[in-house]
Amino acid sequence: MDGFDDAMIKAYHEYDSDEPQDDGSVDEDNTVEILHLYTLRPPVSTEKKRALGAPKKVGLAQGPKPNLKQDFGCILHFPEIKMVFCARADGTTAFWDIRSERNRGECHFLRAHKGQVTCLLKLTARPGSDIQLPLVVTASADASLKVWDPMKIKEPGMNKEATCAQTLTGHGGTVTAVVRVGDYLISGSTDRKIFLWRAESGREAAFYPWFEHLKTIATCEGWVNSIHYTNSRNVGDLGAVYAADSTGAVIRFKPSLVEGQQRGEECFLEFDIVNNQGKVSTSSTPHLQFGRLISGRGLSHVLFLAELDYVLTVAYDNKMRIYNNDTKRVVGSLENPHDCPFTDIAYDRVHHQVFLIDKYGFLFVYDIPKEKLILTHRLLTEPLLAIEYNLRSDELGISLKNRVTWWQLVRDTSYQEADHSHSGPVVGIQFAVAQGPDKTEDPLKYVFSCSLDNTVRMWDAYDMACLRTLEEHRSDLVCMRFCESRNTLVTGHDNGTVRLWNLDTASTINMTKHANTVSCIINAVLRRGEEFILTGGFDGRVGIWDIRKKHNVRPHLVTMFEAHAGSEVLCLLHDASKNTIITAGNDTVIKVWAASTYELLGQHTGHTEAIGCLALDANFLFS
């Protein structure tokens, strides 16, 4: 599974961090589940195969060494044409057609840049725009931007390098950011300049738009690291453009209609720098929207959240900050607990959640309205380099060194903490169905929980109201099992006792045969439709108990056999289809026994540590 910790990763605030924990009150917040969908990989290039495996030819010129640095970077998901693009450090852009599972395995490349591809941008066709077909813009360390036609890329047999519609030059350094505002492009570079480009009007007969460099709208004090544009989607709102640089400065540009022009099919805009009061600045020096950080660290990312009127920044001091655009004050922040900067960021404008990743493989989800971190989970054990969020499908794309992984977000998995819950760790839980006094009524549904606070609680499965509490005073509770057919609760204790709790009469029966802690309990139908209780203990033995009361016969031990000599039995399982008993413990061995004769049938090895749980699905055993 590509090194994933789990096939499905469910997070319910499980991460143990230094952040303050909830106070234990009822919390009905929704959680987020993340399901791995698929992985996109590039093929091993011919050059790399030759470089890594082929012997050198003696006496012949070898030529230039191939560039084997192929780290992936930013991701671009183009759902309108069902394609995924990913920038690479070797100057190529990998892309996949994701219309079907078969196509996902075919990776192709755009090979025109002479330096690392730093950012990607999609241009969708819009009514009244000079851009009338879907295009992809790539920016690179070779100081250029290129415009590609992805529809031509998809044509079989097409030369991938011949699909470049235009190359934009003019920057004097690496192009680090590019955004679209209507028919305009705004790009930033390490030459500290922010360029404005526009698709030339009057080219209706031409197949592709042609972008012209209009002017330099700002010169920053440091490298331009990030540019972001969005609007609130309210009528008349043209939005705002924010740029962040390596000195920690954030500047704002306000798009406005050219004087005397009415909003129509052809829209010409001016981009003016505004000060922190929102007024157009006439100064040649850009006004800072927020004060620079005391640490002097630069900013790696900036996002404008127009619908909330917030500005979000990510800095190299390992923090994300959220500013109120009116008051210019910090209204929320998040520091990476792993003492490293966040590598990338994405935003969900519907749920108002921020996704962040870092080099240690962690994904963070910060909920802005709740002003708290709702998820921290280590997806992988390798650096996460870039993240892309697709609002339509509620999916995340995450790039790594040599592949792109795609994840589905599953929301609205609500939960509720039960009132009057345990005061100690919960060591056992079971869902049970019991028939009420009136046999004609629907069965009653309960949840039983067992805790190290030495109580067993019975809960109403509908509203999790605590119906009953059973307290143990003589020994510590370790495990629990409810036998529905007998309406009897069976508990195991650290002194080797097996205790039966009759829920109808509130009486108990103690049975002591184990020489040490009773660690696990199950119930099973072993023969002739008779149900028995099976227990495992730290003494390495398995006990089989008949808990029925017949005439003068009390519940008693039927037999006990040694399953793991000199070791501890930690888990038990009954395979009803084969009528076998499966045991495992801290000797790292799984053993299979005949339930009728208690004869050892076989064993499974492979674990190097104690085996704590077993599960069976048809003929498959999971340990």
Side-chain angles (χ1 to χ4, degrees), residues 295-460:
S295 63
R297 299 293 182 89
L299 301 177
S300 60
H301 299 81
V302 63
L303 294 180
F304 175 43
L305 316 183
E307 65 279 0
L308 301 176
D309 202 21
Y310 285 169
V311 176
L312 185 152
T313 64
V314 177
Y316 290 111
D317 63 355
N318 310 334
K319 288 185 179 180
M320 175 198 73
R321 295 173 176 84
I322 303 173
Y323 295 88
N324 185 305
N325 205 24
D326 288 332
T327 64
K328 309 300 178 184
R329 295 182 179 275
V330 176
V331 295
S333 65
L334 174 66
E335 183 172 4
N336 192 328
H338 310 127
D339 197 28
C340 68
F342 296 107
T343 53
D344 202 5
I345 185 171
Y347 176 63
D348 174 4
R349 67 186 301 168
V350 172
H351 300 92
H352 305 307
Q353 292 175 347
V354 182
F355 306 97
L356 304 105
I357 54 177
D358 71 10
K359 68 178 183 179
Y360 292 111
F362 282 86
L363 169 70
F364 306 83
V365 182
Y366 184 89
D367 192 290
I368 295 177
K370 297 171 186 173
E371 298 183 356
K372 67 176 182 179
L373 187 68
I374 64 170
L375 167 65
T376 302
H377 200 97
R378 193 172 195 177
L379 296 182
L380 301 163
T381 56
E382 55 190 297
L384 308 182
L385 305 179
I387 187 169
E388 165 91 350
Y389 174 69
N390 180 20
L391 180 61
R392 292 187 179 185
S393 58
D394 206 16
E395 295 176 356
L396 287 174
I398 298 176
S399 69
L400 297 94
K401 181 179 179 64
N402 58 1
R403 65 190 186 277
V404 177
T405 60
W406 218 258
W407 307 77
Q408 177 71 60
L409 293 174
V410 182
R411 303 179 187 272
D412 300 327
T413 307
S414 59
Y415 74 95
Q416 179 178 341
E417 293 183 7
D419 292 324
H420 311 293
S421 55
H422 292 283
S423 59
V426 178
V427 295
I429 190 165
Q430 182 184 351
F431 177 80
V433 178
Q435 188 66 50
D438 187 351
K439 303 297 183 181
T440 62
E441 296 180 353
D442 293 335
L444 304 176
K445 298 178 180 179
Y446 302 110
V447 174
F448 289 89
S449 60
C450 171
S451 170
L452 293 184
D453 63 6
N454 263 17
T455 65
V456 176
R457 296 179 186 267
M458 182 172 71
W459 312 83
D460 188 321

